[in-house]
Coordinates of all heavy atoms in Angstrom, one line a residue:
T92 N 46.7 38.7 53.7 CA 48.1 38.4 53.8 C 48.3 36.9 53.9 O 49.2 36.3 53.2 CB 48.7 39.0 55.1 OG1 48.5 40.4 55.0 CG2 50.2 38.8 55.2
W93 N 47.5 36.2 54.6 CA 47.7 34.7 54.7 C 47.4 34.0 53.4 O 48.2 33.2 52.9 CB 46.8 34.1 55.8 CG 47.1 32.6 55.9 CD1 46.3 31.6 55.6 CD2 48.3 32.0 56.3 NE1 46.9 30.4 55.7 CE2 48.2 30.6 56.2 CE3 49.5 32.6 56.8 CZ2 49.2 29.8 56.6 CZ3 50.6 31.7 57.2 CH2 50.4 30.3 57.0
L94 N 46.3 34.4 52.7 CA 46.0 33.8 51.4 C 47.2 34.0 50.5 O 47.6 33.1 49.7 CB 44.8 34.4 50.7 CG 43.5 34.4 51.5 CD1 42.3 34.8 50.5 CD2 43.2 33.0 52.0
L95 N 47.8 35.2 50.5 CA 48.9 35.5 49.6 C 50.2 34.8 50.1 O 51.0 34.3 49.3 CB 49.2 37.0 49.6 CG 48.1 37.9 49.0 CD1 48.5 39.4 49.1 CD2 47.6 37.5 47.6
T96 N 50.4 34.7 51.4 CA 51.6 34.0 51.9 C 51.6 32.6 51.4 O 52.7 32.0 51.0 CB 51.5 33.9 53.5 OG1 51.5 35.3 54.0 CG2 52.7 33.2 54.1
C97 N 50.4 32.0 51.2 CA 50.4 30.6 50.7 C 50.6 30.5 49.2 O 50.7 29.4 48.7 CB 49.0 29.9 51.1 SG 48.9 29.8 52.9
M98 N 50.7 31.6 48.6 CA 51.0 31.7 47.2 C 52.4 32.2 46.9 O 52.7 32.5 45.7 CB 50.0 32.6 46.4 CG 48.5 32.1 46.4 SD 48.4 30.4 45.9 CE 48.8 30.6 44.1
T99 N 53.1 32.5 47.9 CA 54.4 33.1 47.8 C 55.6 32.1 48.0 O 55.6 31.4 49.1 CB 54.6 34.3 48.8 OG1 53.5 35.2 48.6 CG2 55.9 35.0 48.6
S100 N 56.5 32.0 47.1 CA 57.6 31.0 47.3 C 58.6 31.6 48.2 O 58.8 32.9 48.2 CB 58.2 30.7 46.0 OG 58.9 31.8 45.4
K101 N 59.1 30.8 49.1 CA 60.1 31.3 50.0 C 61.3 31.9 49.3 O 61.9 32.9 49.7 CB 60.6 30.1 50.9 CG 61.6 30.5 51.9 CD 62.0 29.4 52.9 CE 63.2 29.8 53.8 NZ 64.4 29.7 53.0
G102 N 61.6 31.3 48.1 CA 62.8 31.8 47.4 C 62.6 33.3 47.0 O 63.6 34.0 47.0
L103 N 61.4 33.7 46.7 CA 61.1 35.1 46.4 C 61.5 36.0 47.6 O 62.1 37.0 47.4 CB 59.7 35.3 45.9 CG 59.3 36.7 45.5 CD1 59.9 37.0 44.1 CD2 57.7 36.8 45.3
M104 N 61.0 35.5 48.7 CA 61.3 36.3 49.9 C 62.8 36.3 50.3 O 63.3 37.3 50.8 CB 60.5 35.8 51.1 CG 59.0 36.0 51.0 SD 58.4 37.7 50.8 CE 58.2 37.8 49.1
N105 N 63.5 35.2 50.0 CA 65.0 35.2 50.2 C 65.7 36.3 49.5 O 66.7 36.8 49.9 CB 65.6 33.9 49.7 CG 65.2 32.7 50.6 OD1 64.8 32.9 51.7 ND2 65.4 31.5 50.0
R106 N 65.1 36.8 48.4 CA 65.7 37.8 47.6 C 65.4 39.2 48.0 O 65.9 40.2 47.5 CB 65.4 37.6 46.1 CG 65.9 36.4 45.5 CD 65.8 36.3 44.0 NE 64.5 36.0 43.5 CZ 64.0 34.8 43.4 NH1 64.7 33.7 43.8 NH2 62.8 34.6 42.9
S107 N 64.5 39.4 49.0 CA 64.1 40.7 49.5 C 65.3 41.5 50.0 O 66.1 41.0 50.9 CB 63.0 40.6 50.5 OG 63.0 41.7 51.4
H108 N 65.4 42.7 49.6 CA 66.6 43.6 50.0 C 66.6 43.7 51.5 O 67.7 43.7 52.1 CB 66.5 45.0 49.4 CG 66.6 45.0 47.9 ND1 67.5 44.2 47.2 CD2 66.0 45.7 47.0 CE1 67.4 44.4 45.9 NE2 66.5 45.4 45.7
A109 N 65.5 44.0 52.1 CA 65.4 44.2 53.6 C 66.0 43.0 54.3 O 66.8 43.2 55.3 CB 64.0 44.5 54.0
Y110 N 65.6 41.8 53.9 CA 66.1 40.6 54.5 C 67.6 40.4 54.2 O 68.4 40.1 55.1 CB 65.3 39.4 54.0 CG 65.8 38.1 54.4 CD1 66.0 37.7 55.7 CD2 66.2 37.2 53.4 CE1 66.5 36.5 56.0 CE2 66.7 35.9 53.7 CZ 66.9 35.6 55.0 OH 67.4 34.4 55.4
K111 N 68.0 40.6 53.0 CA 69.4 40.3 52.6 C 70.3 41.3 53.3 O 71.4 40.9 53.7 CB 69.5 40.4 51.1 CG 69.2 39.1 50.4 CD 69.1 39.1 48.9 CE 70.2 39.9 48.2 NZ 70.0 39.9 46.7
A112 N 69.9 42.5 53.5 CA 70.7 43.5 54.2 C 71.0 43.0 55.6 O 72.2 43.1 56.1 CB 70.0 44.9 54.2
Q113 N 70.0 42.5 56.3 CA 70.2 42.0 57.7 C 71.2 40.8 57.7 O 72.1 40.7 58.5 CB 68.9 41.6 58.3 CG 69.0 41.2 59.7 CD 69.4 42.3 60.7 OE1 68.8 43.4 60.6 NE2 70.3 42.0 61.6
V114 N 71.0 39.9 56.7 CA 71.9 38.7 56.6 C 73.3 39.1 56.4 O 74.3 38.7 57.0 CB 71.4 37.7 55.5 CG1 72.4 36.6 55.3 CG2 70.1 37.1 55.9
Q115 N 73.5 40.1 55.5 CA 74.8 40.6 55.1 C 75.5 41.2 56.3 O 76.7 41.0 56.6 CB 74.7 41.6 54.0 CG 76.1 41.9 53.4 CD 76.0 43.1 52.4 OE1 74.9 43.4 51.9 NE2 77.1 43.6 52.0
E116 N 74.7 42.0 57.1 CA 75.3 42.6 58.3 C 75.8 41.6 59.3 O 76.9 41.6 59.8 CB 74.2 43.5 58.9 CG 74.8 44.5 59.8 CD 73.8 45.4 60.6 OE1 72.9 45.9 59.9 OE2 73.9 45.5 61.8
N117 N 74.9 40.5 59.4 CA 75.3 39.4 60.4 C 76.6 38.8 59.9 O 77.5 38.5 60.7 CB 74.2 38.4 60.4 CG 73.0 38.9 61.2 OD1 73.1 39.8 62.0 ND2 71.8 38.3 61.0
T118 N 76.7 38.5 58.6 CA 77.9 37.9 58.0 C 79.1 38.7 58.3 O 80.2 38.2 58.7 CB 77.7 37.6 56.5 OG1 76.4 37.0 56.3 CG2 78.7 36.6 56.0
E119 N 79.0 40.0 58.0 CA 80.1 40.9 58.1 C 80.6 41.0 59.6 O 81.8 41.2 59.8 CB 79.7 42.3 57.6 CG 79.8 42.5 56.1 CD 79.2 43.7 55.6 OE1 78.8 44.6 56.4 OE2 79.0 43.8 54.4
Q120 N 79.6 40.8 60.5 CA 80.0 40.9 61.9 C 80.4 39.6 62.5 O 80.6 39.5 63.7 CB 78.9 41.5 62.7 CG 78.5 42.9 62.1 CD 77.8 43.8 63.1 OE1 77.1 43.3 64.1 NE2 77.8 45.1 62.9
G121 N 80.6 38.6 61.6 CA 81.1 37.3 62.0 C 80.1 36.5 62.9 O 80.5 35.6 63.7
E122 N 78.8 36.8 62.8 CA 77.8 36.1 63.5 C 77.7 34.6 63.0 O 77.8 34.4 61.8 CB 76.4 36.7 63.4 CG 76.2 38.0 64.0 CD 76.2 38.0 65.6 OE1 76.1 36.8 66.1 OE2 76.3 39.0 66.2
D123 N 77.5 33.7 63.9 CA 77.3 32.3 63.5 C 76.0 32.1 62.8 O 75.9 31.4 61.8 CB 77.3 31.3 64.7 CG 78.7 31.3 65.4 OD1 79.7 31.6 64.7 OD2 78.8 31.0 66.6
D124 N 75.0 32.8 63.3 CA 73.7 32.6 62.7 C 73.4 33.8 61.7 O 73.2 34.9 62.1 CB 72.6 32.6 63.8 CG 71.2 32.5 63.3 OD1 71.0 32.3 62.0 OD2 70.3 32.6 64.1

Side-chain angles (χ1 to χ4, degrees):
T92 303
W93 183 251
L94 301 192
L95 300 179
T96 299
C97 296
M98 296 307 293
T99 305
S100 66
K101 176 173 175 286
L103 183 68
M104 294 299 98
N105 285 344
R106 292 193 283 280
S107 155
H108 295 322
Y110 168 62
K111 277 174 37 182
Q113 184 68 46
V114 170
Q115 193 187 343
E116 199 185 311
N117 288 338
T118 314
E119 279 167 10
Q120 304 203 335
E122 291 289 347
D123 292 338
D124 178 6

